[in-house]
Amino acid sequence: KEPGYLKAYDNFRKVEGEPEEQSGSEGLENGPAEAHNSPSAAAMLSTLKKGQAVHTQDVQPAQHFTRPPPRYTEASLIKALEELGIGRPSTYASTLKLLQTRGYVSKEGRALAPSSKGLVLVAFLQRYFQQYIDYDFTSKMEQQLDEVSEGSVPWKSVLKDFWGPFQKKCESLKDLKVSEVVDALNEELQPVFFPGSDEEARRCPKCFTGTLHYKPSKFGGFVGCSNFDHPQASCSYARPLHMPNSTDSSEVLEEALISGPLHLGHHPTTHQAVLRKKGPYGPYLELGPVGGAEGTENVAGPEPQRGKKGAAKKAKKADVVRAAIPKDVDASSITLEQAVALLDATIPQSLGSHPDDGAPILVKSGRYGPYVQHQAVLAPLPKDKTPESITLEEALELLSKKAARMAAKGIPTVPKKKASKKASKEGAGTGKASSTKGEKG
C-alpha cells in the first residue's frame, strides 16, 4: 500500500532504540526522508496542486468496535487492590477464596466473572450502603487499623467512629418493605440484565401482558413476569438472570433467550399446550397442560384428590410428554408445526393386541431410537424399519426373539406387580406373630 503523504524532511534526531539508517540514504538531498518516499507515491502526489479537485476512485468502509476492558484475573485484581490501598498481602488469598466460595464470582478460564448473586449483592450495597463500599472508605479504614496495630490510635475511638453512623444507617433502613427493596434493585439492575431494552423487549413472551422484572431468591434471583403472583392473570414464566455484554458469543445470548419456558401454541389433535423449555441437557419440548396460561385447556382429566401425593405425581408424570430438540434444529426459532412433529414421534403408537394375552403392542421412541414393547419385553426396530412402516406381524416376530433371549438368561418377560404397603405391613406383622408364637411353644 502506498502512503498518502510525502515525508518532506527529517530532523536527524537519534531516538533511543531506533535502528541505524542505511548507507544508501547518504547523498540524498533530504537524507532518510527522501529515501522513505516511494517513487510511485512521490510522482503521484507531486503533481497535485493546491485547490485541485480530487476524484474518488474507490471507497472501502472499515468497521471498528470498541471492546470493554478485560475481566480481572486473580493477579490483576490483587494488583488493583494494592494500587487502591485495600487489603494486605496476608488477606488477599482469603479474600479471593471467600468470593468464590460464596458464589459471588466464578472462574472462566483465568478470568473472574461476576455471578448474578454477586451483582445483586453489589446493587443492594450501592443503593443503601454506598459510603461503606467506597474505595476511599476502605483504604482509610485500612490505614486506621494499621495505626491501631502500631499503638498510635486507641481502638475504641476507631470502633466508635465507625459503629455510631453505621448503626444509625441500619436503623433508618429497618422499616423498608421487601417490595421497595425489589423495586430499587430492579432500577439498579436494569442496565445489567436489560441493557438498552424498551417496554416491548421486556414484555413477557408467555402471557404477552406482563413485564419482565427481577425476582429475588436465595440463589440471587431470577427474571420473572410481573403477573407471577397476580391472583387472576397468573403467569409462571421465569428464566435465570443473565448478564449480556459485547464479548458474549451468539451461542451464549441464544442460550439466555431460550432458557425460560415458552408457550408455542396448542396441539391440533389433543389441544394440549406445547411448551419449549430449557433443561440440564439442553432445550426440549413438552406436551401438557399449562396452569394459568390464557387459552390453555387442561385435558389431563380431573385433578387428583388433595393429600394423595403419590397419585398426583403419577397423574402428572403420565400426562406430560417430552421430546428433545435435535441439534440441527434452531431451538430459538422452532415453530409449532416442527414441535408437534417431534412430540408426535415420542407418543406411543399402538399396533394392536398380542394374540396370547391381549396386552397392547406399542411403538415408542427412546434414547437410542424407536422400539416396540410388550409387557416387559423391549425390542429395537431394525435400521430398515420406521415406526410408521412396521406392522403387527413384524413386531410380534421381533418381540418373540427378544423374549426367547430374555428367558434363556432368566430375565422375566412380565413386569412384577408391586405389593402394597398395607399388604407388606400385614405380612410382616403376621410373620412376627408366628415367630413369637413359635418361640413360646
Side-chain angles (χ1 to χ4, degrees):
K1 293 182 179 180
E2 300 288 357
Y5 63 90
L6 286 177
K7 195 171 184 180
Y9 67 92
D10 195 305
N11 55 13
F12 293 99
R13 286 187 300 179
K14 182 72 175 66
V15 180
E16 184 178 356
E18 186 179 29
E20 297 291 336
E21 298 294 343
Q22 297 181 357
S23 59
S25 63
E26 296 178 1
L28 297 175
E29 183 179 353
N30 291 320
E34 190 172 339
H36 171 85
N37 296 326
S38 172
S40 58
M44 188 184 304
L45 294 174
S46 61
T47 59
L48 297 177
K49 297 179 181 180
K50 185 177 181 180
Q52 179 180 348
V54 179
H55 300 286
T56 304
Q57 294 183 349
D58 186 23
V59 177
Q60 296 181 353
Q63 194 174 19
H64 175 70
F65 294 97
T66 57
R67 293 186 177 182
R71 296 194 185 278
Y72 282 115
T73 62
E74 291 186 350
S76 61
L77 181 58
I78 291 174
K79 183 179 179 181
L81 293 175
E82 289 177 343
E83 293 175 351
L84 295 169
I86 299 174
R88 295 295 179 264
S90 59
T91 63
Y92 290 143
S94 59
T95 300
L96 292 173
K97 183 179 180 181
L98 187 66
L99 290 174
Q100 298 178 58
T101 303
R102 294 189 177 179
Y104 299 144
V105 298
S106 60
K107 270 194 170 183
E108 295 181 357
R110 296 176 57 190
L112 296 174
S115 65
S116 58
K117 183 179 180 181
L119 289 175
V120 170
L121 176 62
V122 170
F124 175 81
L125 294 175
Q126 285 180 337
R127 185 76 176 195
Y128 298 108
F129 296 93
Q130 173 64 40
Q131 67 185 91
Y132 296 103
I133 62 172
D134 186 72
Y135 294 145
D136 293 336
F137 173 84
T138 310
S139 180
K140 290 178 181 178
M141 180 61 69
E142 293 280 358
Q143 295 176 3
Q144 290 177 343
L145 293 176
D146 288 342
E147 292 173 354
V148 170
S149 63
E150 293 171 359
S152 57
V153 176
W155 65 270
K156 289 186 179 181
S157 64
V158 174
L159 185 60
K160 183 179 180 181
D161 293 341
F162 166 77
W163 186 252
F166 183 74
Q167 188 177 22
K168 291 181 180 179
K169 183 68 175 177
C170 294
E171 288 290 332
S172 65
L173 298 175
K174 69 177 183 179
D175 295 330
L176 276 176
K177 297 181 180 178
V178 176
S179 58
E180 296 176 350
V181 176
V182 172
D183 292 340
L185 290 177
N186 260 312
E187 184 180 344
E188 291 284 338
L189 296 171
Q190 197 276 336
V192 181
F193 298 121
F194 307 102
S197 58
D198 52 11
E199 293 183 1
E200 185 65 26
R202 292 185 65 173
R203 182 176 295 181
C204 177
K206 183 176 180 180
C207 66
F208 301 104
T209 58
T211 307
L212 299 183
H213 290 283
Y214 163 75
K215 301 284 185 179
S217 73
K218 64 179 180 179
F219 300 108
F222 60 93
V223 174
C225 180
S226 57
N227 294 331
F228 192 81
D229 300 321
H230 198 280
Q232 296 178 350
S234 177
C235 179
S236 60
Y237 178 84
R239 68 169 174 82
L241 293 174
H242 180 67
M243 297 75 68
N245 54 58
S246 59
T247 60
D248 284 335
S249 63
S250 59
E251 290 81 3
V252 173
L253 294 175
E254 180 179 313
E255 184 95 356
L257 292 175
I258 67 173
S259 57
L262 180 63
H263 185 205
L264 298 176
H266 295 84
H267 195 283
T269 305
T270 64
H271 305 290
Q272 289 176 282
V274 178
L275 297 175
R276 185 201 63 195
K277 291 187 175 183
K278 175 71 171 63
Y281 304 105
Y284 67 94
L285 300 167
E286 181 176 293
L287 182 63
V290 182
E294 183 180 356
T296 303
E297 301 177 15
N298 190 338
V299 297
E303 291 290 331
Q305 297 180 7
R306 294 195 175 188
K308 298 183 179 181
K309 297 182 178 179
K313 288 183 179 179
K314 289 181 180 179
K316 184 177 180 182
K317 185 176 180 181
D319 295 335
V320 178
V321 177
R322 297 183 176 91
I325 299 178
K327 294 182 178 180
D328 56 346
V329 177
D330 186 7
S332 61
S333 60
I334 190 170
T335 62
L336 177 63
E337 292 73 18
Q338 291 175 307
V340 169
L342 291 171
L343 287 167
D344 286 345
T346 63
I347 298 175
Q349 305 293 332
S350 177
L351 296 177
S353 301
H354 198 282
D356 295 338
D357 55 10
I361 305 296
L362 301 177
V363 182
K364 295 184 176 181
S365 179
R367 183 178 180 182
Y368 303 104
Y371 62 94
V372 290
Q373 178 181 2
H374 169 248
Q375 301 283 18
V377 183
L378 308 178
L381 298 187
K383 293 183 178 180
D384 58 343
K385 294 295 179 181
T386 62
E388 295 79 15
S389 64
I390 192 168
T391 62
L392 177 61
E393 291 73 17
E394 293 171 334
L396 289 173
E397 184 180 354
L398 292 173
L399 291 168
S400 176
K401 293 179 179 179
K402 183 63 180 291
R405 293 195 297 268
M406 292 173 64
K409 296 180 181 179
I411 303 174
T413 58
V414 179
K416 295 181 180 180
K417 294 183 179 180
K418 294 183 179 180
S420 64
K421 292 184 178 180
K422 185 177 180 180
S424 301
K425 288 181 180 179
E426 289 178 355
T430 304
K432 185 177 180 180
S434 300
S435 60
T436 305
K437 186 177 182 181
E439 289 176 0
K440 287 181 179 181

